[in-house]
Structure formats: structure tokens, C-alpha cells
Amino acid sequence: MTPVHFNSNGSRAERLAIILNQTELNKLGGSLDMSEAAQRLLQVDRAQAVVVKCGAKGAWVYVAGADPHFVPAFRSMRVFKIGTGDVFTGVFAHYWCERGENAVQAAMAASEAVSFYAETRRLKIAADQREPVRSTNVRVSVFSSGVTLADRLLREEARSALISLGAELVELPSSSLNPDAGIDSALVLADGDPRISLSFVQRARLAGVPTVVFREKGRLPSSKSAKTFYSDDFSTAIYHTFWVPSLCGKSFSTTKTEHRGPVG
């Protein structure tokens, strides 16, 4: 689907904010440079604000005559994605249109509301204060102990999902998992051989690498570790793999101002 400009069909508005993801921005703004594309929308559509959603990293807010402002994503213990885009847009509209907040304040409230909704599947306009996630370029390795076709398909789906969030994938044999491996986090797909999966987790723990263990079958371990997170939900495991370096204060990478993928 090709996005079109707001005024292309004769639409008019007294105040206009455009909310879209970066792929849509690149197409509509005619540039791969986020700032350049956003500035074009501000001019062509005479918008007061352009909000660019960047998935697990957060969003950028562009307002005419001002520097762009970054709004972080907020951590949720579980991540239910269906409907998050509608929640973001609806809450932004409430704060920007009804309450008269500026675009940055409205986007911040919308991002917090998305975090609450993704975790609880309930809408709360004024969400409780939540934990922001620092935006980084995350280097990730995916480990799988499974050998079946289903295991391989799951591994490829996990890799694809992480790339869509903006992660950089690093192919790393388990024997090379050490403090100098140069990765920020690891995702272990643990529904294959439990002994091999446990070995991956132990190596990661010794190397000090924050690790997310996805296990859909059987019970999750009751014991917890400061840098080992368990989940039986695939979407949650993917997002937490992207977030854990920030939460654990570990990152080999640098913060970037260009992001890919949708927030909500």
C-alpha cells in the first residue's frame, strides 16, 4: 500500500499531526533521511507535527521551526502487538487535540499508554509511570538447540523479527560466547534439546551477556537471574532481547538517530 499526502484528495484541517512509521515516512517524504522526509511533510501537508514511530526504540517528533525530539519506548513485561498502533494514535490525539498538550508531551503519553496496553491488553489513557528504554543499535546472537524443520523456521522468524526492530545479527558459535564476543544480548530458543539450551544459558551467564530464553513447551524455571530472562511468548521474547542491554546497562554499540520499524 502506497501512502498519499493528506491534502491529495482535497482534505483540510485547522491543525494537522501526521503519525506514521519510518517506512511510510521514507515513501511519503521521498527521502531515506528521516529529518529531510519529515521536513517535507511539514511543508507539503502544512502539518504542525510529524511523529515517526520507530518500534522498540521509541519515536521521533518533528515540529516546524524546532529541533526534533526523541520519545523513548517504555518497557512492558509482556508484549501484545495487535492494536498498539491504534492505541498510540488515539492517545496522542486525546492529549494533542482534546487536552491541548504539545506534540512531544502527547507522544510521550501515547508511548506510555502503548506499553501499558501491550502488557495488560487494557487501555489506560493516563498510564502509570513506566520504565523508558534507552535507544541503542543492539548486536544480537540467536541460539537454537532444535534440529527439526519447525525449529529452523522459528529461528529464521526470530532473526527476521529482530532485524525488523533494527537489531544487528551476529553469527556466533556457542563455543565463542565469552566476555569479548562483542554482542549486547542473546536469544536462546529452548524448545529443542534442554541440555544444549541449558549449556547456552550457562555460557552466556559466565560471559556476562544478557540473555532471553524463549520456551513455549513445559514450565519456565522459577529461579531468576539478573541477566537471564525467560518467556513463553514469542513477541515478548523478541522485544526483551532488544531491550535487555539497556536494562542491564550493557551495550557495545552506539546510539543512532536513524531507526527502522513501527512503534505500535
Side-chain angles (χ1 to χ4, degrees):
M1 182 175 179
T2 303
V4 297
H5 286 281
F6 174 77
N7 58 13
S8 63
N9 62 356
S11 296
R12 295 290 184 270
E14 291 183 8
R15 298 175 67 221
L16 174 65
I18 300 174
I19 300 175
L20 70 180
N21 63 44
Q22 189 171 355
T23 299
E24 294 166 338
L25 175 71
N26 293 342
K27 292 180 179 179
L28 199 57
S31 175
L32 295 178
D33 181 271
M34 184 187 296
S35 294
E36 183 178 313
Q39 292 300 327
R40 183 180 181 191
L41 291 193
L42 289 171
Q43 295 172 3
V44 172
D45 287 309
R46 297 180 180 178
Q48 279 70 48
V50 172
V51 182
V52 187
K53 301 182 296 180
C54 303
K57 297 177 179 179
W60 282 93
V61 179
Y62 291 85
V63 177
D67 292 333
H69 193 100
F70 181 72
V71 172
F74 292 85
R75 186 190 182 200
S76 52
M77 296 305 296
R78 293 181 72 84
V79 181
F80 179 75
K81 280 288 296 173
I82 299 174
T84 54
D86 294 331
V87 170
F88 187 96
T89 302
V91 173
F92 178 92
H94 170 74
Y95 278 88
W96 192 66
C97 297
E98 298 295 328
R99 297 187 55 171
E101 304 282 1
N102 65 46
V104 174
Q105 292 169 327
M108 188 75 74
S111 187
E112 289 185 319
V114 165
S115 175
F116 181 85
Y117 170 80
E119 182 172 303
T120 65
R121 303 193 188 188
R122 293 188 291 117
L123 179 61
K124 189 174 184 181
I125 301 298
D128 300 329
Q129 187 172 5
R130 307 183 72 80
E131 183 179 9
V133 180
R134 187 178 71 245
S135 175
T136 57
N137 182 31
V138 181
R139 292 168 55 87
V140 178
S141 282
V142 179
F143 298 98
S144 174
S145 60
V147 295
T148 67
L149 178 60
D151 293 324
R152 292 173 181 173
L153 288 174
L154 179 64
R155 183 173 184 273
E156 291 307 309
E157 181 65 21
R159 289 166 53 87
S160 177
L162 286 165
I163 290 173
S164 73
L165 292 182
E168 178 183 347
L169 293 184
V170 178
E171 293 290 345
L172 192 66
S174 61
S175 58
S176 300
L177 194 55
N178 57 65
D180 299 319
I183 62 173
D184 301 306
S185 64
L187 172 63
V188 177
L189 305 175
D191 278 333
D193 188 321
R195 292 173 299 178
I196 297 177
S197 297
L198 179 60
S199 176
F200 285 159
V201 174
Q202 290 174 336
R203 285 178 180 273
R205 190 172 296 168
L206 290 173
V209 176
T211 304
V212 174
V213 181
F214 171 62
R215 185 178 180 183
E216 192 172 21
K217 303 173 184 176
R219 298 176 59 183
L220 296 176
S222 57
S223 60
K224 297 182 179 180
S225 168
K227 291 189 176 183
T228 306
F229 303 82
Y230 293 88
S231 179
D232 58 2
D233 178 75
F234 182 72
S235 180
T236 300
I238 294 297
Y239 273 75
H240 279 211
T241 302
F242 192 87
W243 286 337
V244 289
S246 170
L247 301 174
C248 294
K250 175 184 176 67
S251 177
F252 289 99
S253 309
T254 57
T255 300
K256 301 181 73 176
T257 56
E258 296 293 332
H259 305 292
R260 298 189 289 174
V263 148

